[in-house]
């Protein structure tokens, strides 16, 4: 394990390549080396747009650690063709995770369309069942991610309590995005109750003046009590990956490399 890629207690830290999703993967990996990070998450959309085989081979050759592949399901529960495409991507992401040694693939629930939450959840269980079986066969953990409610096009699970409920029905793990859940009632209790299922914890800062997404800030530039939150998560006994995801106008204006470099330094300094 690279010493730069751990917190003060030796637990893993990583950087999500979302802000460089349009870059050739080799350029993103070179950027990570420059800022001193060697563990990362990568969007499935990046791998897919670059033909899967070439970027996966570059990751394998790099000697760096892909922790997870992430994919948003851009289809509602009543969109059959959209689901076919989303599941094809996720299945390839699972196979890609095996190729590069990543242990997890994160995903969103898809939208609810005209269905109630309960009916959408039941439909999701049916739609995801073959994918869950494929991941189990390949030895890859799936992790369902919570999103802000404004992201209803890719998700109807907007709280950690929501993803815990649906993940339990699916038989998968959780990707807890603190950025999307920082004001959730009983958040730390929900994490405690589902601690064994948490595969990834993701962070990014937020400003309450923001009214659009994606609109994340470098940790310390916003108003979230991130230092307290990550300390509490570690105190609960979570020893898995804490991942930095930055995305949006502030990151683009500063430049992804500089923003990620500052965010990475914040993590190494403030994650207990």
């Amino acid at each position: 394990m690279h010493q730069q890629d751990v917190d003060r207690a030796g637990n893993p830290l990583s950087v999500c390549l979302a802000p460089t999703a349009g870059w050739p993967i080799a350029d993103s990996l070179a950027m990570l080396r420059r800022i001193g990070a060697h563990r990362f998450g990568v969007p499935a959309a990046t791998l897919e747009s670059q033909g899967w085989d070439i970027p996966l081979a570059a990751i394998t050759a790099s000697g760096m650690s892909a922790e997870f592949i992430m994919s948003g399901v851009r289809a509602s529960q009543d969109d059959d063709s959209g689901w076919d495409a989303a599941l094809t991507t996720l299945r390839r992401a699972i196979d890609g995770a095996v190729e590069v040694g990543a242990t997890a693939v994160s995903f969103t629930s898809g939208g609810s369309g005209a269905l109630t939450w309960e009916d959408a959840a039941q439909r999701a269980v049916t739609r995801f069942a073959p994918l869950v079986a494929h991941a189990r066969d390949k030895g890859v953990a799936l992790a369902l991610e919570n999103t802000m409610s404004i992201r209803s096009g890719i998700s109807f699970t907007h709280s950690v309590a929501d993803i815990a409920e649906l993940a339990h029905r699916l038989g998968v793990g959780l990707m807890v995005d603190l950025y999307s859940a920082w004001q959730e009632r009983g958040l730390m209790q929900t994490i405690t109750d589902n601690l064994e299922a948490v595969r990834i914890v993701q962070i990014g800062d937020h400003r309450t003046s923001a009214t659009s997404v994606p609109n994340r800030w470098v940790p310390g530039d916003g108003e979230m009590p991130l230092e307290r939150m990550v300390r509490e998560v570690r105190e609960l006994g979570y020893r898995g990956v804490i991942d930095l995801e930055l995305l949006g106008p502030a990151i683009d204006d500063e430049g992804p490399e500089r923003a990620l470099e500052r965010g990475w330094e914040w993590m190494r300094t403030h994650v207990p």
Side-chain angles (χ1 to χ4, degrees):
M1 181 182 294
H2 296 281
Q3 189 58 41
Q4 304 102 311
D5 296 322
V6 298
D7 63 19
R8 283 172 281 168
N11 302 304
L13 303 173
S14 77
V15 170
C16 179
L17 292 177
T20 63
W23 296 11
I25 193 67
D27 291 350
S28 292
L29 297 175
M31 179 272 298
L32 289 178
R33 289 191 188 92
R34 288 194 294 271
I35 70 172
H38 297 84
R39 303 164 75 93
F40 61 94
V42 59
T46 295
L47 303 176
E48 190 169 49
S49 68
Q50 297 177 34
W52 288 104
D53 291 342
I54 292 173
L56 290 171
I59 290 170
T60 300
S62 72
M64 303 170 77
S65 300
E67 297 296 313
F68 63 94
I69 298 173
M70 57 187 288
S71 186
V73 175
R74 299 183 181 280
S76 63
Q77 295 298 331
D78 50 7
D79 176 9
D80 291 340
S81 62
W83 268 90
D84 288 343
L87 291 175
T88 296
T89 296
L90 278 167
R91 186 180 180 91
R92 184 65 181 90
I94 291 167
D95 295 339
V98 174
E99 292 178 46
V100 300
T103 59
V105 170
S106 68
F107 66 107
T108 60
S109 62
S112 61
L115 302 179
T116 64
W117 195 99
E118 292 76 14
D119 288 343
Q122 186 55 51
R123 184 76 62 85
V125 170
T126 301
R127 290 195 184 276
F128 282 123
L131 190 78
V132 173
H134 183 63
R136 187 178 299 117
D137 289 344
K138 294 292 186 177
V140 174
L142 292 178
L144 182 64
E145 180 183 4
N146 58 298
T147 72
M148 289 184 167
S149 59
I150 197 171
R151 301 304 304 274
S152 58
I154 64 171
S155 173
F156 64 91
T157 46
H158 305 305
S159 66
V160 178
D162 280 349
I163 58 169
E165 172 63 26
L166 183 56
H168 176 73
R169 298 187 195 186
L170 291 170
V172 302
L174 312 180
M175 180 180 195
V176 175
D177 182 11
L178 294 180
Y179 169 83
S180 298
W182 68 287
Q183 292 181 319
E184 182 177 337
R185 181 176 63 86
L187 175 60
M188 291 301 159
Q189 185 60 55
T190 299
I191 294 174
T192 299
D193 293 344
N194 296 278
L195 190 61
E196 293 302 312
V198 179
R199 302 287 174 258
I200 304 158
V201 170
Q202 208 164 49
I203 66 170
D205 215 338
H206 176 73
R207 289 187 180 177
T208 55
S209 59
T211 57
S212 63
V213 294
N215 211 343
R216 295 177 181 241
W217 273 265
V218 173
D221 288 359
E223 299 161 79
M224 285 179 61
L226 268 177
E227 187 169 0
R228 170 179 63 78
M229 295 179 78
V230 294
R231 182 183 70 249
E232 289 176 345
V233 166
R234 287 301 195 209
E235 288 174 349
L236 294 178
Y238 175 71
R239 295 293 176 259
V241 170
I242 292 182
D243 178 74
L244 174 68
E245 183 179 32
L246 301 179
L247 199 62
I251 307 307
D252 292 340
D253 289 346
E254 181 173 1
E257 180 167 345
R258 177 56 182 153
L260 289 172
E261 182 178 34
R262 290 198 303 113
W264 183 241
E265 184 59 32
W266 185 95
M267 290 179 76
R268 294 180 58 203
T269 303
H270 293 88
V271 177

